[in-house]
Amino acid sequence: STFARRYFVPHGYEHVNRDTLKTPKKCLEVATKAIAAGKSCVVDNTMPKFTSDDKDKCNGRDAYLRLAKKHNIPCRMFRFTASQAVAQ
């Protein structure tokens, strides 16, 4: 969240965050609306796994890759690793 707020939000990116939006479905909806409106978006703290499962097609990072591909826009992913102590 700090990375997104520091480096993307000041440049007009829509901040999609599961902590505030609560569900993967809502996160994907907000990202989809932002892209449809011509905005860039940063998806933060949202997708702990890569692949969506059968019952929920929007709970994996692949949902965002599909969204970017559908709209022919670039997609970049950052993976942050830290110990539990540092993360807290």
Side-chain angles (χ1 to χ4, degrees):
S1 293
T2 300
F3 186 81
R5 284 191 304 268
R6 183 175 294 159
Y7 296 105
F8 291 95
V9 173
H11 297 283
Y13 281 68
E14 181 75 30
H15 188 192
V16 178
N17 183 293
R18 189 161 157 183
D19 290 340
T20 55
L21 296 172
K22 305 297 182 200
T23 68
K25 182 179 180 185
K26 181 67 174 172
C27 291
L28 190 59
E29 288 171 358
V30 169
T32 301
K33 286 179 185 176
I35 290 169
K39 291 184 73 175
S40 296
C41 61
V42 57
V43 180
D44 168 42
N45 189 25
T46 304
M47 299 297 127
K49 60 185 183 175
F50 181 78
T51 307
S52 300
D53 57 38
D54 289 335
K55 67 180 179 177
D56 189 353
K57 298 293 185 195
C58 56
N59 69 350
R61 293 186 300 270
D62 61 329
Y64 295 93
L65 292 172
R66 287 191 306 270
L67 179 63
K69 186 175 183 177
K70 176 182 175 183
H71 292 277
N72 197 30
I73 56 176
C75 182
R76 294 167 193 85
M77 292 189 179
F78 297 86
R79 180 177 181 213
F80 295 94
T81 59
S83 68
Q84 185 70 20
V86 170
Q88 293 177 344

